[in-house]
Amino acid sequence: MARHFSVLILLFSCVCFSQKYDAKVAFAIETYAFIKGQNAALKKVAQQFPHLKPKVSETEKDLKIVFGRTEKNLNQFLKEELSRQQIDSLHIHLDSLLNLQLANPIEKEQYAHDFLLKIKERSNYHNNAMLPKGILSFKYHDAPHQEITDGHVAVFSSENHPKADNIAIKIPVPKSWLAQEAEMPETIQQFTSCHGNGIEKILIVVYDLPEELHAIQLNEKSVSTFLSPQTKLIRTEAMIIDDTPGLMIEVEESVNYQNEGMKVRMLQFMFLDQQKLYCLQGSIGPADQDEDLGIQIKKYEPLFRLVASRTELEN
């Protein structure tokens, strides 16, 4: 059936591996399996219908533009997260599934044409619903801010948000980050990388200032009084957010996560407006106490700064 062949690689990715990994690694494996399945299906078309080889080659070139960087980043990520034995087992498992699912011939040439057309649409982003969520996530895994600069951006507006009474703010977020409700009442919205599977977050936090703080000035001294004893202030930097003077601080906080001592590294972009303290927070973690989060925060700092620089208050 045509439908069977067109969704083959989707089914393949869903049943790809039985071992248990953390959410981000499992998400990476699913995306990696999708790409491998897609490539194998194209080879199947070329083998069974040799006269379609030029179209297959053209399609592969188009896919390289969209999927090539994703595949490269996935290979690097899995090498860092999995042992050599785990990677070998993964490849054996994927090859086994591919051999099983592609064992039978494609029933009609029209099905192959339909498949190539769907792949063409996917490579041109004509239908974002056809792109697995992990494609964008890992395409920009090496430089997260480029997802926004390349135009894959969603704009969050607090208008009509149940936790944003008398607050009107808009911020850009990468399309591959998942919007989620947050437990803290001051957090209007949070966004998590890798469609909710990563440990990187962007939060919009707004505090109503008590009367005694209405005249407060944001600087290293005043902000230090807000920090808990478990929070270490690393650096501060004055900046402008939507034409309003603000302050960026980098902090690292010790937290109790699932009954274990962990830590979170954060960049917080703060500014004041109408007796409210706005905080746009980009964070990495929770992570083990002995893990150096300095490299990760530097990697995501351009993204967090970009989000802050494009934030707008709607008066």
Side-chain angles (χ1 to χ4, degrees):
M1 296 176 63
R3 184 177 183 277
H4 173 78
F5 186 66
S6 66
V7 302
L8 176 143
I9 49 181
L10 292 174
L11 294 175
F12 174 64
S13 66
C14 293
V15 297
C16 67
F17 214 35
S18 60
Q19 292 191 30
K20 292 187 180 296
Y21 297 102
D22 67 39
K24 188 171 182 177
V25 173
F27 190 55
I29 290 174
E30 179 181 319
T31 307
Y32 182 76
F34 177 91
I35 292 176
K36 291 298 183 185
Q38 181 174 254
N39 293 342
L42 284 170
K43 286 184 174 61
K44 174 77 172 181
V45 171
Q47 289 172 355
Q48 186 171 337
F49 304 103
H51 59 283
L52 293 181
K53 283 184 178 181
K55 283 191 175 182
V56 171
S57 296
E58 180 183 345
T59 301
E60 288 175 334
K61 289 180 181 178
D62 292 337
L63 286 175
K64 193 71 175 177
I65 298 173
V66 180
F67 292 84
R69 181 173 169 185
T70 299
E71 189 170 3
K72 178 182 176 182
N73 286 340
L74 279 168
N75 276 314
Q76 182 61 36
F77 176 76
L78 292 175
K79 283 180 182 178
E80 294 171 357
E81 296 294 327
L82 302 180
S83 67
R84 181 71 258 174
Q85 183 179 2
Q86 288 174 318
I87 290 176
D88 289 343
S89 296
L90 172 62
H91 286 152
I92 291 171
H93 189 73
L94 295 184
D95 289 343
S96 175
L97 281 175
L98 279 172
N99 291 334
L100 178 64
Q101 294 198 27
L102 295 174
N104 296 323
I106 303 168
E107 295 177 9
K108 295 181 181 179
E109 182 176 335
Q110 184 59 46
Y111 297 166
H113 284 284
D114 293 343
F115 175 71
L116 291 174
L117 179 61
K118 288 180 183 295
I119 298 298
K120 185 75 171 180
E121 292 175 353
R122 185 179 294 144
S123 68
N124 290 329
Y125 291 103
H126 285 167
N127 185 352
N128 282 328
M130 294 177 66
L131 279 176
K133 297 178 177 66
I135 296 300
L136 284 181
S137 297
F138 288 99
K139 179 174 183 177
Y140 297 103
H141 189 259
D142 56 331
H145 67 286
Q146 290 179 1
E147 184 170 348
I148 288 182
T149 58
D150 282 356
H152 306 293
V153 57
V155 177
F156 169 81
S157 173
S158 63
E159 185 178 2
N160 299 322
H161 194 285
K163 295 176 69 176
D165 189 30
N166 297 321
I167 297 170
I169 190 171
K170 292 171 65 175
I171 75 164
V173 291
K175 263 191 175 176
S176 68
W177 290 48
L178 180 67
Q180 298 171 309
E181 297 301 320
E183 294 181 3
M184 289 175 52
E186 297 86 2
T187 302
I188 296 174
Q189 194 79 49
Q190 75 176 30
F191 305 88
T192 305
S193 65
C194 282
H195 201 72
N197 294 288
I199 63 170
E200 301 81 23
K201 295 183 183 295
I202 296 171
L203 279 71
I204 308 171
V205 188
V206 182
Y207 298 93
D208 287 311
L209 292 174
E211 187 174 351
E212 62 269 21
L213 293 179
H214 283 183
I216 192 173
Q217 299 294 315
L218 290 179
N219 52 50
E220 183 172 332
K221 183 178 179 181
S222 64
V223 167
S224 295
T225 64
F226 299 156
L227 303 180
S228 70
Q230 293 79 34
T231 303
K232 174 186 176 183
L233 179 62
I234 298 171
R235 61 181 167 124
T236 65
E237 178 187 324
M239 64 183 310
I240 301 296
I241 302 174
D242 193 24
D243 297 326
T244 302
L247 186 73
M248 184 204 79
I249 67 171
E250 181 177 351
V251 297
E252 190 163 276
E253 181 179 0
S254 296
V255 297
N256 184 22
Y257 180 74
Q258 296 181 348
N259 296 321
E260 292 187 26
M262 310 283 277
K263 65 180 180 181
V264 177
R265 190 77 161 256
M266 294 171 277
L267 292 181
Q268 297 178 328
F269 303 84
M270 303 178 182
F271 62 98
L272 301 167
D273 185 75
Q274 298 183 9
Q275 286 76 57
K276 296 181 186 294
L277 172 62
Y278 289 78
C279 178
L280 306 173
Q281 177 177 292
S283 67
I284 312 290
D288 293 336
Q289 285 284 359
D290 59 354
E291 185 172 344
D292 182 5
L293 294 177
I295 296 175
Q296 279 293 90
I297 204 72
K298 286 180 181 178
K299 174 180 172 181
Y300 280 87
E301 182 171 342
L303 171 63
F304 297 154
R305 283 183 177 273
L306 185 60
V307 170
S309 69
R310 296 190 182 183
T311 292
E312 298 178 4
L313 282 178
E314 302 174 283
N315 297 321

